[in-house]
Amino acid sequence: MSKVQDCIFDMVHRDARVPKSTYRVQMHSGFQFKDVEGILPYLKNLGISDLYSSPIFEARSGSTHGYDVTRHDRINQMLGGEEGFHRMSALLREYGMGLLLDIVPNHMGVGNESAWWQDVLENGRTSEYATFFDIDWDPIRPDMRGKLLIPVLGNQYGEELESKKIQVAMQDGLLKVTYYDHSFPLAPRSIPILFPEEEDQRDGVPGWFRDLLQELAHIPPNDSSDAGLIAQRQQQLRELKPRLLKALGSDEIRPVILRAIERVNGVEGDPRSFDHLHALLEMQPYRLAYWRVSSEEINYRRFFDVNDLVGLRQEDPSCFAATHRLVRRMIATGEVTGLRIDHCDGMFNPRQYLIRLQLLCIAGQCFGPEPQGELTASGLEVELREALRGYDWTRSQGPLYTVVEKILEPREVLPQEWPVRGTTGYDFLHLANQVFIEPRNAAKFTTLYARIVGKEIDPDELIYRCKLKVMQTSLSSEIYVLTNLLDHLAASDRRARDYTESILERVIRETIACFPVYRTYIDDRGQYTERDLAFIHQAIERAKHRNPDVAESAFDFLESTLRLGDHEDEKYPARLHFALKFQQLTGPVMAKGVEDTAFYVYTRFVSSNEVGSSIKAFGLSPELFHAANLERLQKSPDSMLTTSTHDTKRSEDVRNRLNVLSEMPSQWASMVRRWMRMNAAHKQKLPDGRVAPDTNEEYLIYQTIVGAWPWRMETTEDRKQFLDRIKEYCTKALSEAKVNVSWTNPDPEYLDAVHKFLETILLPQGRMQETRFVHTLLSFLPPVQFFGALNSLAQVVLKVCSPGVPDFYQGSELWDLTLVDPDNRRPVDFAQRMKALEQLLQQAESEGPAAVCADVLRNLPDGRIKLWTMHRALSVRNELHSLFRRGDYLPLEIELDRQENAIAFLRLDRSTQQAVLAVVPRFACSMMQMRSSLPLKDAWGKAQIRLPDHTPAAFINVFTGEEVHTEENILRLREIFTQFPVVVLRSRSAQGL
């Protein structure tokens, strides 16, 4: 066996470097690589093992998130460039920390700064990058064949053209079409019409330039799909373009160009003078269009409905190689130790892509950071492909730590054939949040909500309607594409050819609206699981039930098409293509219909309206929480555990505070009714009869204010800043709901009325020291804040001690009461956090951990109690990494008393007999009867935990440092909750002090 084969064999069977914990940072111009360097000592002391970074590749200028990547082969200069990245990476290695990097393979930001996209605009389907983007070059409309629809115009094309907003200009030495700050290249074959031969003598066009124009006019067209002609065209342009660039920059040609530009740009008020410009634009491989036509006519796949984020075809090996060359180098050099894959559901074939990532890692280690010679059809080296021929990836998670951003619906599991370690943790977020919601009060909240909005709302019906709505509006063009594909299949099937296009369109819409999960995973080989087929059948049956007026056979035809049928059938490739495109759309419809619409419409209990969760959810039992932890330990022990991210609708601390309301339904209902009465006069009636805000929006506002009200608000400026945040949130929430306003149909008058309502109830008017609303709010908040804080501390313990990799979002180590982005992406005061941790560590060393506990409890509003909880829990996890990664997970029952008021489990390493016991309060507000006081010991009664046999008898409390001993394997809760509201005990034999 060769050295290369030895390396490949070793890599395939090597375990990945798995983080012990991660800390997510949002990179942008205000937080660069050098800023990360400044916080690494703090993160290391906090107990974090791996930095988790948002995308760092070159993005559009001013990007605050990095998901609009314009170049995958260059590190963003705005963040510090390659030099800054290498410096940060070296410091990470010095601290023994890894880097989990968020990458964006599904789409790309396009526009003036995207060289690939500009090349496609210039050369159409003959561009060398045309196959990189998911473009339909043969759309339904004949006049759009070979063209790209570019929906950027603020008004109708003719109006924008004749008002001189679309113009030809010289930019950077090139002839461009400009529209405000947009610029578009001119197709080379179209340039000669700028210089009509009859104008040669008047314009003084030299013969050598005319010869160049003649050569440009006779290159093969840009809409050709013939490989030979495409190669010929590209070769000719490689010779002609440098000559053209030189000519355009010459002093001799400059006056000629200026006269040509003046002539073609037309005269305002003379419509006929724009005919020449219109003819020029018609020759381009793109069509500039009014932005509102995008939902129906756009012919490229987008990231959801964002026009300037265009889908990439990672199934194309050249695209994969080009977009991952830099990733390969970073992995091979060890600068990146793991990858987070953004929006894997958007890709054509996620499994194929994820396997290629593992191959990329192996290739980088065995062949070096740079590809050796030509890339094969698989996108990697021939030797690697041959060495791994027949390798069973369903039994491997691969040598590279990889997690996917994936929303799992109830009873859905991550496809086992994917070589990944798990998800980014939204499934855990659902569990760790819902376990603190009192399920016995669900009916009371449903009744209250129905009374507020004046009717009962069926969440399933709402979700169905919201999904239909987004398919009829923002994603209608994608539906048209699917309808066209299915129509062609029906036309060639004698049993289906009588189905009209409108019937097929309805069948597709209705089935997607009834789809129970984000998507299925039929791959390019036509392989699918029984679970995939079950989801398809379930959606079809639901759609049939909802549409009794549509022939069942039409739905059956769709189902049989999605099931693919005989591989030998000549129509099989067309059915497979349809099935792959169909499942690529169900995810965006789910995301836009549920997360970005229904979440903002159904406001019964907004803590449940969270990414990875469900508006129908209202609590779950500790037994289900334990069962999920056990399943994760068995199937994906290295999956991430998250509770707040850059995409969550509200932070973990907001949710945990709102969860307290589930324990006090009567008090909450009384307060809401009181607020609605006192604030009714502050609503405004609009000319069309609507009242702003409506009652549903008003209820959302009250929940949002209770959840996000700061612990301290000492000045008028603090209040104004909070008001601005709530205004910004309401603008987004109401626009996403699409009931009274929307992003496509904004209603400034309505939003102004809502903002005025917020100002009136939140800001004192005149000499008034406080508004009535705020006065009653402040009397209601204390127990909600207090027990919400206990929920947050309990959630930290559950996250750190459960199977998986605990992930922390930037700033969440102190109280973080932020809402959906951009609120949750505000700058983090790291200096404050660094100072707080340093002081806590110094105090622990000089006075002991018990003194720290007493101090942070006395000063609950400053949030240091959460910082201390996180630090101490992570410390024990770091020391006992193998126990937490692979050790047993033993759920423990609460005996004799308070069975519903605690969650307890034991982590056990049987080989070393090391053990860690986690116990946290649940529904403490009910248990304490809303009395905001500590310690909790007096509330536990006779409650006790019985530990398994052979469990160590002596423990150390990691927060307080106190010794704890069992009596016949019994621990009484009143004895372990004497000094701190959450408990993590480590076996005395494991204590390293």
Side-chain angles (χ1 to χ4, degrees), residues 737-757:
K738 308 170 190 66
V739 175
N740 290 303
V741 298
S742 70
W743 297 118
T744 55
N745 291 295
D747 188 336
E749 186 178 10
Y750 190 91
L751 286 176
D752 286 345
V754 173
H755 292 171
K756 181 64 176 175
F757 174 80

Side-chain angles (χ1 to χ4, degrees), residues 75-284:
I75 295 174
N76 199 333
Q77 286 295 325
M78 187 174 65
L79 306 180
E82 191 165 341
E83 182 181 346
F85 174 73
H86 291 322
R87 213 170 36 240
M88 182 192 75
S89 298
L91 192 58
L92 276 167
R93 287 195 294 272
E94 185 178 322
Y95 282 107
M97 300 174 70
L99 174 60
L100 178 65
L101 182 62
D102 193 344
I103 63 171
V104 194
N106 172 69
H107 57 268
M108 213 173 154
V110 298
N112 304 347
E113 300 166 284
S114 173
W116 293 358
W117 185 249
Q118 288 291 310
D119 194 85
V120 173
L121 293 179
E122 182 177 340
N123 297 295
R125 69 194 309 168
T126 64
S127 166
E128 62 180 299
Y129 305 109
T131 61
F132 287 19
F133 297 100
D134 200 348
I135 299 168
D136 179 11
W137 292 106
D138 296 298
I140 299 171
R141 284 185 52 169
D143 62 320
M144 282 298 296
R145 302 285 165 84
K147 283 182 177 286
L148 260 172
L149 186 83
I150 309 297
V152 297
L153 304 182
N155 215 323
Q156 297 290 337
Y157 164 76
E159 185 173 329
E160 298 294 79
L161 181 75
E162 293 175 17
S163 61
K164 292 183 71 70
K165 292 174 182 172
I166 305 172
Q167 297 280 271
V168 174
M170 280 290 290
Q171 282 188 351
D172 303 320
L174 294 170
L175 285 163
K176 297 284 187 77
V177 175
T178 65
Y179 177 75
Y180 290 104
D181 57 348
H182 298 281
S183 65
F184 310 92
L186 284 176
R189 274 174 56 110
S190 71
I191 292 176
I193 77 163
L194 283 170
F195 308 95
E197 291 189 30
E198 61 270 19
E199 302 289 343
D200 278 9
Q201 187 171 5
R202 185 189 309 167
D203 286 350
V205 178
W208 64 267
F209 186 60
R210 173 57 60 189
D211 291 342
L212 175 59
L213 294 174
Q214 288 293 326
E215 291 182 72
L216 287 171
H218 289 91
I219 62 174
N222 53 41
D223 60 353
S224 174
S225 58
D226 181 272
L229 287 177
I230 291 174
Q232 177 187 337
R233 186 178 191 277
Q234 290 176 351
Q235 177 59 40
Q236 286 180 301
L237 284 175
R238 276 191 285 272
E239 187 271 328
L240 291 173
K241 286 193 71 174
R243 289 168 54 194
L244 175 63
L245 189 63
K246 184 177 180 180
L248 295 176
S250 70
D251 292 337
E252 185 179 8
I253 298 301
R254 187 173 295 110
V256 176
I257 294 171
L258 293 177
R259 284 192 290 272
I261 289 175
E262 182 179 4
R263 183 170 54 242
V264 77
N265 279 338
V267 178
E268 194 166 3
D270 180 5
R272 294 294 302 274
S273 67
F274 293 94
D275 290 351
H276 192 185
L277 178 56
H278 174 64
L280 177 71
L281 291 171
E282 289 292 280
M283 293 185 67
Q284 305 311 311

